Amino acid sequence: MECHVYYEGDDDPKKCTARRLEKFDEATLYRTMRQVPYGVVLNPHAEQALSPADVDDGLGTLVALDCSWESAEEAAFKMNGVHRALPFLVAANPVNYGRPFQLTTVEALAAACCIFDDWDRAEELLAHFRWGETFLTLNEEPLRRYSNCADSTEVVAVQEEYLADEDDDGTTTE
């Protein structure tokens, strides 16, 4: 799975997961949206959840936006491609540990790989971060369940079921 990132450069370069991915030849960074190739765009504002059915829509290409959460507005996602939102997952990075939906770029790309049942690629991406394995451990159950879904509707149903189970246990981190 090829990983591409539109890079705004507004985060701390020392903490930027996209820059580290580029350093290890795991992703290609772009400064203008025109340069970003067509693919599955990980967009938190998308109306449809990412599912295994989307794997062929992106022609083997995942696209993420790397910017600060403050500037991650809908207007920033004017890229060509199939726009999909990631379902409920919990961050493992040191800045947002335990916070739902507050994923770094590498966490988002790795999650998409898992949903596409490419766990080896997810592990390759996360191997460059000391907390990378923790991300997969924290999210193993929902990621496995999402990866077994047929389409976006099933992913949303699994997400709702998972969140209801977590609420019943009193362990949701929201």
Side-chain angles (χ1 to χ4, degrees):
M1 184 72 48
E2 287 185 24
C3 295
H4 299 270
V5 179
Y6 172 67
Y7 176 71
E8 289 200 348
D10 55 359
D11 284 333
D12 180 349
K14 294 176 184 170
K15 296 178 183 175
C16 180
T17 63
R19 287 177 57 133
R20 183 175 283 188
L21 288 175
E22 181 184 49
K23 176 182 175 182
F24 290 104
D25 294 324
E26 299 287 359
T28 305
L29 271 57
Y30 302 92
R31 287 291 196 162
T32 65
M33 285 194 196
R34 286 189 319 265
Q35 297 174 314
V36 180
Y38 181 93
V40 175
V41 179
L42 302 177
N43 177 348
H45 304 286
E47 293 182 15
Q48 196 170 341
L50 183 72
S51 78
D54 298 314
V55 71
D56 294 329
D57 293 339
L59 309 172
T61 301
L62 283 173
V63 178
L65 171 68
D66 187 273
C67 64
S68 71
W69 281 101
E70 291 78 30
S71 63
E73 296 175 11
E74 196 167 348
F77 290 93
K78 300 284 188 219
M79 291 179 265
N80 287 326
V82 178
H83 289 243
R84 297 291 184 261
L86 287 170
F88 176 86
L89 295 165
V90 177
N93 66 79
V95 174
N96 291 309
Y97 183 87
R99 292 184 183 155
F101 300 108
Q102 297 292 304
L103 308 182
T104 61
T105 301
V106 69
E107 288 170 315
L109 290 168
C113 288
C114 291
I115 291 170
F116 289 163
D117 204 28
D118 192 350
W119 292 79
D120 290 340
R121 181 67 173 131
E123 289 173 4
E124 288 171 9
L125 294 171
L126 292 166
H128 305 288
F129 304 87
R130 67 181 181 281
W131 45 264
E133 189 176 328
T134 303
F135 176 75
L136 292 177
T137 302
L138 279 175
N139 294 289
E140 183 175 9
E141 181 185 349
L143 284 170
R144 290 225 183 267
R145 290 173 72 183
Y146 299 145
S147 71
N148 288 322
C149 293
D151 57 26
S152 180
T153 303
E154 284 187 22
V155 168
V156 171
V158 166
Q159 172 182 266
E160 289 172 359
E161 182 182 309
Y162 182 79
L163 289 173
D165 288 348
E166 290 296 304
D167 284 339
D168 290 344
D169 293 344
T171 56
T172 299
T173 57
E174 293 184 282

